């Protein structure tokens, strides 16, 4: 989610569109894996500060985003009803016309290889851009040190969920991005489990057990595969931007809420 191509059509034409109804595949994690980190969001108030940091600011984050990301503000990020709620609001904050939140585990938890599961219900409406993604704990240069997008959804293209990787060799700036897309009509009405399996050989992404994206470590070079190092987790709800705001922002939709039921990380026993 660091930077996105201005023309979303190019991203979509490189992806594989799979139209599906509710998957009957089990979401159970392999019994050979153990839970190493999780947040069930069962408390009240601000997110657990022992697990989450915040990115703060309104400079667009390389994507020309329109929101200001706040810190320790219940209106934008809170635990409520067993969920983490990230809320985008139409309100003036400095030079920005919207507020929201971006939570990350950088400096608190990172891991190398494993399975990430996030059960979430997405916001809806033109201008919204929620994501579940990962970046290197040792990030020095983007995209050289890698990025894994487990879930991205832009509100003007309702129901199309994208998964991608970004590396020095494969990224949208060069038109070489690796990405695929799955159509899920009810992503804003129901919770779904977004999952990534990450091994030294490949990265696979699933929704409700249905795999729709695979990126393999075929070339064995850092330029193509920087994913042999610890990565941290990011949850955010952007407003607008080069991709999320490509068809404008509908101010009538706000506030919009992004619900996360849990985040779980497993590794082999």
């Amino acid at each position: 989610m660091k930077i996105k191509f201005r023309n979303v059509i190019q991203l979509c034409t490189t992806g594989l569109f799979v139209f599906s109804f509710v998957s009957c595949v089990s979401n159970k994690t392999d019994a050979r894996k153990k839970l190493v980190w999780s947040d069930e969001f069962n408390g009240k108030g601000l997110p657990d500060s022992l697990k989450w940091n915040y990115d703060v600011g309104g400079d667009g984050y390389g994507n020309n985003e329109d929101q200001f990301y706040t810190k320790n503000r219940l209106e934008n990020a809170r635990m409520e009803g067993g969920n983490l709620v990230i809320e985008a609001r139409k309100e003036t904050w400095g030079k920005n016309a919207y507020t929201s939140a971006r939570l990350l585990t950088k400096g608190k938890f990172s891991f190398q290889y494993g399975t990430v599961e996030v059960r979430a219900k997405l916001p809806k409406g033109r201008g919204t851009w929620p994501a579940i993604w990962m970046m290197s704990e040792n990030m020095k240069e983007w995209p050289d040190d890698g990025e894994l997008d487990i879930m991205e959804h832009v509100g003007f293209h309702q129901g199309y969920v994208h998964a991608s990787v970004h590396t020095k060799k494969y990224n949208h700036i060069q038109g070489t991005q690796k990405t695929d897309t799955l159509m899920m009509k009810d992503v804003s009405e129901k919770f779904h489990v977004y999952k990534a399996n990450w091994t030294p050989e490949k990265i696979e992404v699933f929704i409700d057990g249905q795999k729709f994206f695979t990126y393999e470590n075929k070339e064995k070079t850092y330029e193509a595969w920087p994913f042999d190092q610890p990565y941290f987790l990011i949850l955010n709800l952007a407003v607008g931007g080069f991709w999320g705001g490509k068809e404008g922002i509908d101010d009538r939709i706000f506030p919009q809420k992004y619900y996360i039921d849990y985040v779980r990380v497993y590794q082999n026993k």
Side-chain angles (χ1 to χ4, degrees):
M1 183 141 178
K2 175 68 173 180
I3 305 173
K4 284 294 170 192
F5 194 56
R6 292 172 183 262
N7 186 354
V8 71
I9 295 174
Q10 179 172 354
L11 183 149
C12 294
T13 55
T14 60
L16 171 66
F17 286 84
V18 182
F19 297 86
S20 74
F21 45 85
V22 177
S23 172
C24 294
V25 179
S26 172
N27 290 317
K28 291 182 180 178
T29 303
D30 192 314
R32 294 169 295 181
K33 296 182 179 295
K34 64 177 179 179
L35 184 68
V36 296
W37 188 92
S38 69
D39 199 336
E40 304 294 324
F41 305 114
N42 288 329
K44 293 183 179 180
L46 293 171
D48 188 344
S49 62
L50 297 177
K51 296 181 177 181
W52 300 99
N53 282 314
Y54 298 81
D55 276 335
V56 180
D59 61 359
Y61 286 87
N63 301 311
N64 200 33
E65 297 167 26
D66 291 275
Q67 79 291 324
F68 189 99
Y69 283 134
T70 66
K71 178 180 181 180
N72 293 335
R73 187 171 187 252
L74 290 170
E75 290 87 345
N76 296 123
R78 60 189 177 274
M79 292 187 289
E80 181 179 276
N83 300 307
L84 169 66
V85 180
I86 300 178
E87 183 171 328
R89 301 169 64 91
K90 177 71 175 75
E91 57 183 344
T92 301
W93 196 277
K95 63 180 179 62
N96 300 83
Y98 310 88
T99 62
S100 189
R102 182 154 111 173
L103 279 66
L104 60 162
T105 65
K106 184 177 182 181
K108 296 181 183 292
F109 172 75
S110 61
F111 67 104
Q112 183 172 332
Y113 314 133
T115 297
V116 180
E117 289 185 354
V118 180
R119 185 172 184 266
K121 183 170 68 172
L122 310 186
K124 187 174 186 178
R126 182 163 46 86
T128 59
W129 184 4
I132 301 164
W133 50 303
M134 298 168 58
M135 294 183 74
S136 169
E137 187 74 37
N138 303 308
M139 176 65 70
K140 296 180 177 64
E141 184 72 24
W142 187 94
D144 299 16
D145 299 310
E147 173 183 329
L148 167 59
D149 298 322
I150 300 170
M151 182 284 296
E152 290 185 274
H153 179 268
V154 289
F156 69 84
H157 211 191
Q158 182 64 31
Y160 290 86
V161 179
H162 308 271
S164 314
V165 297
H166 303 276
T167 72
K168 183 175 183 179
K169 186 171 183 179
Y170 297 111
N171 60 77
H172 62 275
I173 297 172
Q174 300 176 162
T176 57
Q177 67 272 15
K178 301 294 185 180
T179 183
D180 275 312
T181 303
L182 181 66
M183 173 61 177
M184 299 290 287
K185 291 183 178 180
D186 59 357
V187 292
S188 299
E189 288 72 43
K190 295 182 180 180
F191 283 87
H192 294 277
V193 176
Y194 302 90
K195 181 173 76 171
N197 285 338
W198 170 27
T199 72
E201 292 77 34
K202 61 186 175 181
I203 293 168
E204 301 171 308
V205 180
F206 307 74
I207 302 179
D208 294 340
Q210 181 174 348
K211 182 169 66 176
F212 71 102
F213 174 71
T214 302
Y215 180 65
E216 296 184 81
N217 182 14
K218 293 181 178 179
E219 300 175 42
K220 312 297 183 183
T221 65
Y222 193 80
E223 288 75 16
W225 180 273
F227 302 108
D228 294 322
Q229 58 184 315
Y231 274 58
F232 61 89
L233 299 163
I234 310 169
L235 304 171
N236 71 292
L237 172 51
V239 178
F242 290 140
W243 190 19
K246 183 176 178 290
E247 296 190 8
I249 302 170
D250 183 358
D251 285 344
R252 298 171 299 176
I253 67 172
F254 295 97
Q256 278 295 311
K257 298 177 182 179
Y258 174 20
Y259 295 90
I260 300 96
D261 181 26
Y262 60 73
V263 180
R264 298 169 183 168
V265 178
Y266 301 84
Q267 290 182 309
N268 289 335
K269 291 181 178 178

